């Protein structure tokens, strides 16, 4: 793995920096910095998506033949790193990075032609219907039932059941959903992958508020919801295969290290002027320096793993089970960085305003600063990192079986 950039890659990095300097507005940057939830809010995210779409960079991870710019893995990494260091918001992951690769890899020509352009334009905003009450880490035990019916009204599935922890279901008009179409065999074999229209009768969304007061996730109830068979991706019973493909992209489809490094650099800089309570500065205390150094080394180690995966992708290999290692390490580091931010701010970081949003003209005024207003909520919300996308325990089991062959 060669870590030196070519002249062409350095020129590309300069182009990205110039674009961000010109087009990443202070409003979007400030909104991203003041968002404590894990996923960027649609008003900020869709505004940034539209800017990138006009440039042709929104689908930067997609192949050229499906609407992407055709970037190399190194270019994709450089783009993510520059966006992180510029304070840009995360992209709308559920449509762009999760369901889109499933569609252009396994979807029919009609599905690709219909859905991929609508993801890019923002016409479709997606949520993910995987987890259920009682079927979280053991996803294969899901019970949301899809019965196939063929009559004068057409060939379709009738869905009944519920999904939970459904991020942004209250904003979404589409949901990609795992359902049980067969209960007669092995539980993994009877699952199918459907594309559900959220704007139809029979669907109700109940909000779930986090400890921080954010409305990010929901429970979705489906009662006699209809899905045309043409909106099934893959064959009936292929859902488990497609879900594994999607989750590998979720766990390792992006580079986490640049954002972690950026957030850590802000914390380290702020500590230079933060009192230690004993007449000195926090940045000069031995324990603080040790914690920051350990976190920085861990972030650099994660970056090397992510770069190694990118190198393998560049040589034609698909993301594999090593993405579970990325997910596990990134989740733990996200929580450690947010804990460092809380410890940096001390008692001032305990401010927990549950009014939203914390950006824009109607944002509630902070008691101390915008950073102190966001820190506790972000810390509480980041507890979810070691749960969503597969818990740390699930990731450890995958690593043991498929990477270490234990």
């Amino acid at each position: 793995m060669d870590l030196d950039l070519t002249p062409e890659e350095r020129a590309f990095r300069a182009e990205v920096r110039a674009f961000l300097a010109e087009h990443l507005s202070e409003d979007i940057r400030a909104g991203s910095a003041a968002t404590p939830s894990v996923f960027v809010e649609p008003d900020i995210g869709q505004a940034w998506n539209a800017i990138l779409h006009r440039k042709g960079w929104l689908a930067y991870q997609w192949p050229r033949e499906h609407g992407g710019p055709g970037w190399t893995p190194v270019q994709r990494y450089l783009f993510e790193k520059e966006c992180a260091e510029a304070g840009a918001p995360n992209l709308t992951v559920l449509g762009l990075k999760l369901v889109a690769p499933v569609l252009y890899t396994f979807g029919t020509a009609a599905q690709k032609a219909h859905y991929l352009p609508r993801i890019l334009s923002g016409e479709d905003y997606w949520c993910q219907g995987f987890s259920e009450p009682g079927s979280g880490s053991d996803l294969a035990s899901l019970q949301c039932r899809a019965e196939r019916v063929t009559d004068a009204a057409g060939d379709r599935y009738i869905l009944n059941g519920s999904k939970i922890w459904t991020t942004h279901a209250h904003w979404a008009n589409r949901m990609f959903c795992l359902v049980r179409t067969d209960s007669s065999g092995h539980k993994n074999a009877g699952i199918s992958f459907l594309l559900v229209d959220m704007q139809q009768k029979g669907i109700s969304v109940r909000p779930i508020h986090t400890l921080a007061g954010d409305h990010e996730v929901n429970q979705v109830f489906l009662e006699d919801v209809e899905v045309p068979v043409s909106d099934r991706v893959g064959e009936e019973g292929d859902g488990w295969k497609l879900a594994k493909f999607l989750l590998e992209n979720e766990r390792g489809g992006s580079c986490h290290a640049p954002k972690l490094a950026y957030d850590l650099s802000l914390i380290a800089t702020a500590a230079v002027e933060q009192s230690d309570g004993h007449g000195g500065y926090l940045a000069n205390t031995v324990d603080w320096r040790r914690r920051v150094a350990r976190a920085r080394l861990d972030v650099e180690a994660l970056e090397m793993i992510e770069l190694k995966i990118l190198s393998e992708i560049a040589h034609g290999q698909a993301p594999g089970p090593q993405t579970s290692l990325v997910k596990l390490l990134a989740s733990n580091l996200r929580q450690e960085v947010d804990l460092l931010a809380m410890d940096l701010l001390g008692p001032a970081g305990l401010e927990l305003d549950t009014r939203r949003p914390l950006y824009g003209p109607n944002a509630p005024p902070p008691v101390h600063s915008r950073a102190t207003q966001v820190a506790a909520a972000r810390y509480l919300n980041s507890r979810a990192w070691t749960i969503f996308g597969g818990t740390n325990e699930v990731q450890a089991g995958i690593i043991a079986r498929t990477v270490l062959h234990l």
Side-chain angles (χ1 to χ4, degrees):
M1 184 174 67
D2 188 357
L3 297 179
D4 292 328
L5 297 180
T6 65
E8 293 78 13
E9 288 164 347
R10 287 195 292 272
F12 173 79
R13 181 177 62 186
E15 181 186 4
V16 173
R17 285 179 180 174
F19 175 82
L20 291 170
E22 180 179 355
H23 295 283
L24 179 59
S25 70
E26 185 54 38
D27 286 346
I28 293 177
R29 194 195 315 265
S32 178
T35 299
S37 52
V38 175
F39 287 80
V40 65
E41 289 298 298
D43 57 343
I44 304 168
Q46 295 296 77
W48 182 230
N49 285 4
I51 292 170
L52 291 175
H53 184 36
R54 288 193 292 271
K55 178 66 173 175
W57 287 359
L58 178 58
Y60 70 95
Q61 292 184 316
W62 299 12
R64 188 186 301 276
E65 61 268 26
H66 298 302
W71 288 351
T72 67
V74 173
Q75 287 176 308
R76 295 199 295 267
Y77 167 76
L78 289 173
F79 175 73
E80 291 194 8
K81 188 176 181 68
E82 293 303 319
C83 284
E85 293 180 352
N90 295 326
L91 297 186
T92 308
V93 63
L94 294 162
L96 286 167
K97 297 185 178 182
L98 296 189
V99 74
V102 172
L103 286 168
Y104 63 65
T105 304
F106 300 101
T108 65
Q111 288 169 343
K112 297 174 194 177
H114 178 74
Y115 287 115
L116 293 179
R118 293 173 64 88
I119 291 173
L120 293 178
S121 68
E123 293 173 82
D124 284 342
Y125 193 89
W126 290 82
C127 63
Q128 174 176 289
F130 277 21
S131 294
E132 298 178 6
S135 299
S137 297
D138 182 17
L139 188 57
S141 66
L142 65 87
Q143 295 300 313
C144 183
R145 180 72 186 171
E147 180 183 359
R148 188 164 178 173
V149 175
T150 303
D151 55 23
D155 194 7
R156 64 201 189 280
Y157 292 99
I158 307 297
L159 276 58
N160 284 281
S162 71
K163 298 293 179 177
I164 201 165
W165 314 122
T166 313
T167 301
H168 285 193
H170 55 302
W171 298 111
N173 68 320
R174 305 292 310 185
M175 175 170 65
F176 54 95
C177 188
L178 291 181
V179 297
R180 183 157 301 284
T181 47
D182 185 3
S183 302
S184 62
H186 191 278
K187 61 182 182 179
N188 290 8
I191 296 173
S192 298
F193 193 106
L194 302 184
L195 310 176
V196 180
D197 178 2
M198 293 285 286
Q199 298 176 323
Q200 61 173 299
K201 66 178 183 178
I203 294 181
S204 57
V205 178
R206 185 178 71 186
I208 300 174
H209 289 88
T210 68
L211 288 174
D214 287 282
H215 178 197
E216 186 174 42
V217 294
N218 308 270
Q219 184 168 6
V220 178
F221 298 91
L222 304 103
E223 183 176 356
D224 294 333
V225 169
E226 297 191 1
V227 178
V229 171
S230 59
D231 275 336
R232 184 193 67 218
V233 183
E235 296 300 319
E236 192 168 287
D238 277 354
W240 190 251
K241 177 181 73 175
L242 271 60
K244 287 177 62 179
F245 172 87
L246 182 147
L247 288 170
E248 285 182 357
N249 281 321
E250 180 179 14
R251 294 164 183 164
S254 297
C255 288
H256 299 283
K259 175 61 174 172
L260 289 164
Y262 172 74
D263 289 348
L264 189 58
S265 70
L266 296 180
I267 292 170
T269 299
V272 173
E273 298 180 353
Q274 181 69 32
S275 170
D276 64 359
H278 302 284
Y281 294 100
L282 187 61
N284 296 329
T285 64
V286 173
D287 182 62
W288 177 262
R289 291 164 67 92
R290 182 183 297 115
R291 288 180 63 192
V292 171
R294 183 183 296 116
R296 184 176 288 118
L297 288 172
D298 287 343
V299 170
E300 290 176 358
L302 173 64
E303 185 173 37
M304 290 301 102
I305 295 172
E306 291 180 328
L307 289 174
K308 183 176 185 296
I309 292 173
L310 287 178
S311 176
E312 292 171 351
I313 292 173
H315 288 87
Q317 299 182 41
Q322 67 267 32
T323 58
S324 289
L325 180 61
V326 170
K327 169 62 171 61
L328 187 148
L329 295 175
S331 297
N332 290 338
L333 280 168
R334 180 72 267 165
Q335 293 179 352
E336 175 60 22
V337 168
D338 291 341
L339 177 59
L340 279 168
M342 287 290 289
D343 290 344
L344 165 73
L345 298 171
L350 296 176
E351 177 184 355
L352 184 59
D353 197 325
T354 58
R355 291 172 291 178
R356 296 293 183 270
L358 299 178
Y359 55 85
N362 298 319
V367 175
H368 295 277
S369 68
R370 193 65 71 194
T372 61
Q373 190 181 40
V374 173
R378 183 167 290 161
Y379 168 79
L380 290 172
N381 286 331
S382 71
R383 300 299 93 191
W385 269 83
T386 50
I387 300 173
F388 65 65
T391 66
N392 272 17
E393 292 77 12
V394 167
Q395 305 314 317
I398 294 173
I399 294 165
R401 292 192 308 272
T402 60
V403 179
L404 301 178
H405 304 293
L406 297 178

